[in-house]
Amino acid sequence: MKILRDVLLGVMTATAVITGTQAAAYADPAPVPTSEAERPVSTAAKPERPDGVAKIQSGLPVRTLNADGNFYVWSDDQNKALLYDGDAYGGWPEGWNNRVDVIWNNGFPGRYDDVNVYDYATWSGSAYACVGNGDYWDLRRGDYVFSWVNDGADAWQRSPLGRRVHDNGSGHIWVDWCGNNNR
């Protein structure tokens, strides 16, 4: 029996050398990851964010291929971003109006997938620029301007036409298409 065992071990060793593989060695089972072992018994329900209230993100948003349904507003002055999944009818929070440096429409394609950015917090009647679905505007480096105003606007509402959006935007709403579409 010992001879047969020695012959088999010799054949296995020769096979491992010829094929460049080694015989499997005994190993202890892997430990259970701490994060799995300490999982809480119950989790609290995530509170819903009211429409038009931004979520704050500490870093500049990283562009991804997949839409997440948000409109991002980045301010160098604030050194953070606001994420909106709805409209900001009353404008962006204090300290953000006229201080925006990057905007990104990462909304879902479909109805109301474009975003109008307004020069005046109360959006009705003010000049606006439209950010198409998936568009990322670094306002510090581009010539993005307010291109439209609603019909029947007064002269003061028309004055921002052609002005750069950088450090001049103050609110937004989601729209169905880019163009003369003030709703």
Side-chain angles (χ1 to χ4, degrees), residues 94-163:
E94 187 174 329
W96 289 80
N97 291 337
N98 302 323
R99 294 189 177 156
V100 172
D101 300 293
V102 175
I103 52 181
W104 178 29
N105 177 354
N106 197 31
F108 299 116
R111 281 197 59 139
Y112 293 97
D113 61 351
D114 300 321
V115 177
N116 282 350
V117 174
Y118 291 89
D119 77 310
Y120 181 64
T122 309
W123 61 273
S124 180
S126 63
Y128 58 94
C130 187
V131 185
N133 183 254
D135 287 351
Y136 182 98
W137 293 3
D138 186 341
L139 301 173
R140 300 164 295 200
R141 292 184 178 86
D143 249 357
Y144 304 101
V145 298
F146 294 108
S147 303
W148 296 280
V149 69
N150 73 333
D151 296 333
D154 293 330
W156 69 270
Q157 293 167 320
R158 293 183 182 282
S159 64
L161 285 174
R163 184 172 20 152

Side-chain angles (χ1 to χ4, degrees), residues 3-94:
I3 297 172
L4 182 59
R5 180 186 61 112
D6 290 341
V7 170
L8 286 175
L9 284 175
V11 170
M12 288 174 48
T13 304
T15 305
V17 169
I18 292 170
T19 60
T21 62
Q22 295 181 4
Y26 173 78
D28 290 327
V32 176
T34 306
S35 60
E36 292 292 321
E38 295 179 6
R39 184 176 292 172
V41 176
S42 64
T43 57
K46 179 181 171 187
E48 290 296 319
R49 189 168 19 123
D51 191 36
V53 176
K55 177 181 176 185
I56 295 176
Q57 177 173 309
S58 60
L60 185 62
V62 178
R63 294 177 70 181
T64 60
L65 296 177
N66 298 326
D68 64 5
N70 289 310
F71 179 65
Y72 292 81
V73 179
W74 170 265
S75 170
D76 287 336
D77 296 338
Q78 300 291 334
N79 196 31
K80 55 187 159 190
L82 298 176
L83 286 71
Y84 283 94
D85 59 2
D87 298 326
Y89 286 111
W92 297 324
E94 187 174 329

